[in-house]
Structures are given as C-alpha cells and as structure tokens.
CSV table of all heavy atoms in Angstrom, one decimal:
chain,number,residue,atom,x,y,z
A,625,ARG,N,35.7,122.1,104.9
A,625,ARG,CA,35.3,120.9,105.7
A,625,ARG,C,36.4,120.3,106.4
A,625,ARG,O,37.5,120.2,105.9
A,625,ARG,CB,34.7,119.9,104.6
A,625,ARG,CG,33.9,118.8,105.3
A,625,ARG,CD,33.0,118.0,104.2
A,625,ARG,NE,33.7,117.4,103.2
A,625,ARG,CZ,33.8,116.1,102.9
A,625,ARG,NH1,33.1,115.3,103.7
A,625,ARG,NH2,34.4,115.6,101.9
A,626,ILE,N,36.2,119.9,107.6
A,626,ILE,CA,37.2,119.3,108.5
A,626,ILE,C,36.6,118.1,109.2
A,626,ILE,O,35.5,118.2,109.8
A,626,ILE,CB,37.8,120.2,109.5
A,626,ILE,CG1,38.4,121.4,108.9
A,626,ILE,CG2,38.9,119.4,110.4
A,626,ILE,CD1,38.9,122.5,110.0
A,627,ALA,N,37.3,116.9,109.1
A,627,ALA,CA,36.9,115.7,109.9
A,627,ALA,C,38.1,115.4,110.8
A,627,ALA,O,39.2,115.1,110.3
A,627,ALA,CB,36.5,114.5,109.1
A,628,SER,N,38.0,115.5,112.1
A,628,SER,CA,39.1,115.0,113.0
A,628,SER,C,38.9,113.5,113.2
A,628,SER,O,37.9,112.9,113.3
A,628,SER,CB,39.0,115.7,114.3
A,628,SER,OG,37.7,115.5,115.0
A,629,PHE,N,40.1,112.8,113.3
A,629,PHE,CA,40.1,111.4,113.4
A,629,PHE,C,40.9,111.0,114.6
A,629,PHE,O,42.1,111.5,114.8
A,629,PHE,CB,40.7,110.7,112.2
A,629,PHE,CG,41.1,109.2,112.2
A,629,PHE,CD1,40.0,108.4,112.1
A,629,PHE,CD2,42.3,108.8,112.6
A,629,PHE,CE1,40.2,107.0,112.3
A,629,PHE,CE2,42.5,107.5,112.7
A,629,PHE,CZ,41.5,106.6,112.5
A,630,ARG,N,40.4,110.1,115.4
A,630,ARG,CA,41.1,109.5,116.5
A,630,ARG,C,40.8,108.0,116.6
A,630,ARG,O,39.6,107.6,116.2
A,630,ARG,CB,40.8,110.3,117.8
A,630,ARG,CG,39.4,110.2,118.2
A,630,ARG,CD,39.1,111.0,119.6
A,630,ARG,NE,38.8,112.4,119.2
A,630,ARG,CZ,39.1,113.4,120.1
A,630,ARG,NH1,39.6,113.2,121.2
A,630,ARG,NH2,38.8,114.6,119.7
A,631,THR,N,41.7,107.2,117.2
A,631,THR,CA,41.4,105.8,117.2
A,631,THR,C,40.3,105.4,118.2
A,631,THR,O,39.5,104.5,117.9
A,631,THR,CB,42.8,105.1,117.5
A,631,THR,OG1,43.2,105.6,118.8
A,631,THR,CG2,43.8,105.1,116.5
A,632,LYS,N,40.3,106.1,119.3
A,632,LYS,CA,39.2,106.0,120.3
A,632,LYS,C,38.8,107.4,120.9
A,632,LYS,O,39.6,108.4,120.8
A,632,LYS,CB,39.7,105.1,121.4
A,632,LYS,CG,39.8,103.7,121.1
A,632,LYS,CD,40.1,102.9,122.4
A,632,LYS,CE,40.2,101.3,122.1
A,632,LYS,NZ,40.4,100.6,123.3
A,633,ALA,N,37.7,107.4,121.5
A,633,ALA,CA,37.1,108.8,122.0
A,633,ALA,C,38.2,109.1,123.2
A,633,ALA,O,38.2,110.4,123.5
A,633,ALA,CB,35.8,108.5,122.6
A,634,SER,N,38.8,108.3,123.8
A,634,SER,CA,39.7,108.6,124.9
A,634,SER,C,41.0,109.0,124.4
A,634,SER,O,41.9,109.4,125.3
A,634,SER,CB,39.8,107.3,125.9
A,634,SER,OG,40.3,106.2,125.2
A,635,LYS,N,41.3,108.9,123.1
A,635,LYS,CA,42.6,109.2,122.6
A,635,LYS,C,42.6,110.6,122.0
A,635,LYS,O,41.5,111.1,121.7
A,635,LYS,CB,43.0,108.2,121.5
A,635,LYS,CG,43.1,106.8,122.0
A,635,LYS,CD,44.3,106.6,122.9
A,635,LYS,CE,44.5,105.1,123.2
A,635,LYS,NZ,45.7,104.9,124.1
A,636,PRO,N,43.8,111.4,121.9
A,636,PRO,CA,43.8,112.6,121.3
A,636,PRO,C,43.6,112.5,119.7
A,636,PRO,O,43.7,111.4,119.1
A,636,PRO,CB,45.2,113.1,121.5
A,636,PRO,CG,46.1,111.9,121.7
A,636,PRO,CD,45.1,110.8,122.4
A,637,VAL,N,43.2,113.6,119.1
A,637,VAL,CA,43.0,113.6,117.6
A,637,VAL,C,44.4,113.3,117.0
A,637,VAL,O,45.5,113.9,117.3
A,637,VAL,CB,42.5,115.0,117.3
A,637,VAL,CG1,42.6,115.1,115.7
A,637,VAL,CG2,41.1,115.3,117.7
A,638,GLU,N,44.4,112.4,116.1
A,638,GLU,CA,45.6,112.0,115.3
A,638,GLU,C,45.7,112.6,113.9
A,638,GLU,O,46.9,112.8,113.4
A,638,GLU,CB,45.7,110.5,115.3
A,638,GLU,CG,45.7,109.9,116.7
A,638,GLU,CD,45.8,108.3,116.6
A,638,GLU,OE1,46.2,107.7,115.5
A,638,GLU,OE2,45.3,107.6,117.5
A,639,ARG,N,44.6,112.7,113.3
A,639,ARG,CA,44.6,113.2,111.9
A,639,ARG,C,43.5,114.3,111.7
A,639,ARG,O,42.5,114.2,112.4
A,639,ARG,CB,44.4,112.1,110.9
A,639,ARG,CG,45.5,111.0,110.9
A,639,ARG,CD,46.8,111.5,110.3
A,639,ARG,NE,47.7,110.5,110.1
A,639,ARG,CZ,48.6,110.1,111.0
A,639,ARG,NH1,48.7,110.8,112.2
A,639,ARG,NH2,49.6,109.1,110.9
A,640,LEU,N,43.7,115.1,110.7
A,640,LEU,CA,42.6,116.0,110.2
A,640,LEU,C,42.4,115.7,108.7
A,640,LEU,O,43.4,115.7,108.0
A,640,LEU,CB,43.0,117.4,110.3
A,640,LEU,CG,43.2,118.0,111.8
A,640,LEU,CD1,43.5,119.5,111.7
A,640,LEU,CD2,41.8,117.8,112.5
A,641,LEU,N,41.2,115.4,108.3
A,641,LEU,CA,40.9,115.3,106.9
A,641,LEU,C,40.4,116.7,106.5
A,641,LEU,O,39.4,117.2,107.1
A,641,LEU,CB,39.9,114.2,106.7
A,641,LEU,CG,40.3,112.8,106.9
A,641,LEU,CD1,39.7,112.3,108.2
A,641,LEU,CD2,39.9,111.9,105.7
A,642,LEU,N,40.9,117.2,105.4
A,642,LEU,CA,40.6,118.6,105.0
A,642,LEU,C,40.1,118.7,103.6
A,642,LEU,O,40.7,118.0,102.7
A,642,LEU,CB,41.9,119.4,105.1
A,642,LEU,CG,42.6,119.5,106.6
A,642,LEU,CD1,43.9,120.2,106.4
A,642,LEU,CD2,41.8,120.0,107.7
A,643,GLU,N,39.1,119.5,103.4
A,643,GLU,CA,38.7,119.9,102.1
A,643,GLU,C,38.8,121.4,102.0
A,643,GLU,O,38.2,122.2,102.8
A,643,GLU,CB,37.3,119.5,101.9
A,643,GLU,CG,36.7,119.9,100.4
A,643,GLU,CD,35.2,119.6,100.4
A,643,GLU,OE1,34.9,118.5,100.2
A,643,GLU,OE2,34.4,120.6,100.6
A,644,LEU,N,39.6,121.8,100.9
A,644,LEU,CA,39.8,123.3,100.7
A,644,LEU,C,39.5,123.7,99.3
A,644,LEU,O,39.5,122.9,98.4
A,644,LEU,CB,41.3,123.6,101.0
A,644,LEU,CG,41.9,123.3,102.3
A,644,LEU,CD1,42.7,122.0,102.3
A,644,LEU,CD2,42.8,124.4,102.9
A,645,SER,N,39.0,125.0,99.2
A,645,SER,CA,38.6,125.5,97.9
A,645,SER,C,39.0,127.0,97.8
A,645,SER,O,39.4,127.6,98.8
A,645,SER,CB,37.1,125.3,97.6
A,645,SER,OG,36.3,126.2,98.3
A,646,PHE,N,38.7,127.7,96.7
A,646,PHE,CA,38.8,129.0,96.6
A,646,PHE,C,37.7,129.8,97.1
A,646,PHE,O,37.8,131.1,97.2
A,646,PHE,CB,39.0,129.4,95.0
A,646,PHE,CG,40.2,128.8,94.4
A,646,PHE,CD1,40.1,127.9,93.4
A,646,PHE,CD2,41.5,129.2,94.7
A,646,PHE,CE1,41.3,127.3,92.8
A,646,PHE,CE2,42.7,128.8,94.2
A,646,PHE,CZ,42.5,127.7,93.2
A,647,ILE,N,36.7,129.1,97.5
A,647,ILE,CA,35.4,129.7,98.1
A,647,ILE,C,35.4,129.8,99.6
A,647,ILE,O,35.6,128.7,100.3
A,647,ILE,CB,34.2,129.0,97.5
A,647,ILE,CG1,34.2,129.0,96.1
A,647,ILE,CG2,32.9,129.6,98.1
A,647,ILE,CD1,33.1,128.0,95.5
A,648,GLU,N,35.4,130.9,100.2
A,648,GLU,CA,35.4,131.1,101.7
A,648,GLU,C,34.0,130.9,102.2
A,648,GLU,O,33.0,131.7,101.8
A,648,GLU,CB,36.0,132.3,102.1
A,648,GLU,CG,36.3,132.5,103.6
A,648,GLU,CD,37.0,133.8,103.9
A,648,GLU,OE1,37.2,134.6,103.1
A,648,GLU,OE2,37.5,133.8,105.1
A,649,LYS,N,33.7,129.9,103.0
A,649,LYS,CA,32.4,129.8,103.7
A,649,LYS,C,32.6,129.1,105.0
A,649,LYS,O,33.7,128.7,105.4
A,649,LYS,CB,31.6,128.8,102.7
A,649,LYS,CG,32.2,127.5,102.3
A,649,LYS,CD,31.2,126.9,101.3
A,649,LYS,CE,31.9,125.5,100.8
A,649,LYS,NZ,31.1,124.8,99.8
A,650,ALA,N,31.4,128.9,105.6
A,650,ALA,CA,31.4,128.3,107.0
A,650,ALA,C,32.0,126.9,106.9
A,650,ALA,O,31.7,126.1,106.0
A,650,ALA,CB,30.0,128.3,107.5
A,651,ILE,N,32.8,126.5,107.9
A,651,ILE,CA,33.5,125.2,107.9
A,651,ILE,C,32.5,124.1,108.5
A,651,ILE,O,31.9,124.4,109.5
A,651,ILE,CB,34.8,125.2,108.8
A,651,ILE,CG1,35.7,126.2,108.1
A,651,ILE,CG2,35.4,123.8,108.8
A,651,ILE,CD1,37.0,126.5,108.9
A,652,THR,N,32.4,123.0,107.9
A,652,THR,CA,31.6,121.9,108.2
A,652,THR,C,32.6,121.0,109.0
A,652,THR,O,33.6,120.6,108.5
A,652,THR,CB,31.0,121.1,107.1
A,652,THR,OG1,30.2,121.9,106.3
A,652,THR,CG2,30.2,119.9,107.6
A,653,LEU,N,32.2,120.7,110.4
A,653,LEU,CA,33.0,119.9,111.2
A,653,LEU,C,32.4,118.7,111.5
A,653,LEU,O,31.2,118.4,111.7
A,653,LEU,CB,33.2,120.7,112.5
A,653,LEU,CG,33.9,122.0,112.4
A,653,LEU,CD1,33.9,122.6,113.8
A,653,LEU,CD2,35.4,121.9,111.9
A,654,SER,N,33.3,117.5,111.6
A,654,SER,CA,32.8,116.2,112.0
A,654,SER,C,33.9,115.5,112.6
A,654,SER,O,35.1,115.9,112.7
A,654,SER,CB,32.3,115.5,110.8
A,654,SER,OG,33.3,115.2,109.8
A,655,GLU,N,33.6,114.3,113.2
A,655,GLU,CA,34.6,113.5,113.8
A,655,GLU,C,34.4,112.0,113.5
A,655,GLU,O,33.3,111.6,113.4
A,655,GLU,CB,34.6,113.6,115.4
A,655,GLU,CG,35.7,112.8,116.1
A,655,GLU,CD,35.8,113.0,117.5
A,655,GLU,OE1,36.5,114.0,117.9
A,655,GLU,OE2,35.2,112.4,118.4
A,656,ILE,N,35.5,111.3,113.3
A,656,ILE,CA,35.5,109.9,113.0
A,656,ILE,C,36.4,109.2,114.0
A,656,ILE,O,37.5,109.5,114.3
A,656,ILE,CB,36.1,109.7,111.6
A,656,ILE,CG1,35.3,110.5,110.5
A,656,ILE,CG2,36.1,108.2,111.3
A,656,ILE,CD1,36.1,110.5,109.1
A,657,LEU,N,35.7,108.2,114.6
A,657,LEU,CA,36.4,107.3,115.6
A,657,LEU,C,36.7,106.0,114.9
A,657,LEU,O,35.8,105.3,114.2
A,657,LEU,CB,35.6,107.0,116.8
A,657,LEU,CG,35.2,108.1,117.7
A,657,LEU,CD1,34.4,107.7,118.9
A,657,LEU,CD2,36.5,108.9,118.2
A,658,LEU,N,37.9,105.4,115.0
A,658,LEU,CA,38.2,104.2,114.4
A,658,LEU,C,37.5,103.0,115.2
A,658,LEU,O,36.9,102.1,114.6
A,658,LEU,CB,39.7,104.0,114.3
A,658,LEU,CG,40.2,102.6,113.7
A,658,LEU,CD1,39.6,102.4,112.3
A,658,LEU,CD2,41.8,102.6,113.7
A,659,TYR,N,37.7,103.1,116.5
A,659,TYR,CA,37.2,102.0,117.3
A,659,TYR,C,36.2,102.5,118.4
A,659,TYR,O,36.5,103.7,118.9
A,659,TYR,CB,38.3,101.2,118.0
A,659,TYR,CG,39.2,100.5,117.1
A,659,TYR,CD1,40.6,100.9,117.0
A,659,TYR,CD2,38.9,99.4,116.3
A,659,TYR,CE1,41.5,100.3,116.1
A,659,TYR,CE2,39.7,98.8,115.5
A,659,TYR,CZ,41.1,99.2,115.4
A,659,TYR,OH,41.9,98.5,114.6
A,660,ASN,N,35.3,101.7,118.8
A,660,ASN,CA,34.7,102.1,120.1
A,660,ASN,C,35.5,101.5,121.4
A,660,ASN,O,36.6,101.0,121.1
A,660,ASN,CB,33.2,101.6,120.2
A,660,ASN,CG,33.3,100.0,120.0
A,660,ASN,OD1,34.2,99.3,120.5
A,660,ASN,ND2,32.1,99.5,119.5
A,661,GLU,N,35.0,101.7,122.5
A,661,GLU,CA,35.9,101.4,123.7
A,661,GLU,C,36.1,99.9,123.8
A,661,GLU,O,37.0,99.4,124.6
A,661,GLU,CB,35.2,101.9,124.9
A,661,GLU,CG,35.3,103.5,125.0
A,661,GLU,CD,36.7,104.1,124.8
A,661,GLU,OE1,37.6,103.5,125.4
A,661,GLU,OE2,36.9,105.1,124.1
A,662,ALA,N,35.3,99.1,123.1
A,662,ALA,CA,35.5,97.6,123.1
A,662,ALA,C,36.5,97.3,122.0
A,662,ALA,O,36.7,96.0,121.7
A,662,ALA,CB,34.2,97.0,122.9
A,663,HIS,N,37.1,98.2,121.3
A,663,HIS,CA,38.1,98.0,120.3
A,663,HIS,C,37.4,97.3,119.1
A,663,HIS,O,38.0,96.5,118.4
A,663,HIS,CB,39.3,97.2,120.7
A,663,HIS,CG,40.5,97.5,120.0
A,663,HIS,ND1,41.2,98.7,120.1
A,663,HIS,CD2,41.2,96.7,119.0
A,663,HIS,CE1,42.3,98.6,119.2
A,663,HIS,NE2,42.3,97.4,118.6
A,664,ILE,N,36.2,97.7,118.8
A,664,ILE,CA,35.5,97.2,117.7
A,664,ILE,C,35.2,98.4,116.7
A,664,ILE,O,35.1,99.5,117.3
A,664,ILE,CB,34.1,96.6,118.1
A,664,ILE,CG1,34.3,95.4,119.0
A,664,ILE,CG2,33.2,96.2,116.9
A,664,ILE,CD1,33.0,94.9,119.6
C-alpha cells in the first residue's frame, strides 16, 4: 500500500506512506492532499 502526500495538487509529492509485508500482492495506491487551492 502506498499513499503519496503533497501539500497542494500543484505541488510535487513530498512524502510516501508505505505499508510492507512478507506477502507479495497488487499495490493499493492513493493520494492525500494537505490543502486545497484555497489553503484550507
């Protein structure tokens, strides 16, 4: 499982949240934005 994190959609990815295990399977992807373009 991977979640990419950026402060805004217009900014580059700053962090990756990762979940790893001994089991190999398809990776679940998601994205988290800290702020919308109005800085909320």
Side-chain angles (χ1 to χ4, degrees):
R625 194 162 63 112
I626 302 175
S628 58
F629 171 79
R630 61 183 89 204
T631 52
K632 288 185 177 182
S634 58
K635 299 291 186 179
V637 172
E638 298 177 26
R639 298 285 188 269
L640 294 179
L641 293 107
L642 307 175
E643 177 187 280
L644 303 98
S645 76
F646 295 114
I647 304 168
E648 188 173 11
K649 56 186 177 182
I651 300 175
T652 301
L653 301 173
S654 62
E655 181 171 276
I656 303 168
L657 297 179
L658 179 58
Y659 299 114
N660 60 29
E661 292 306 317
H663 207 71
I664 297 172

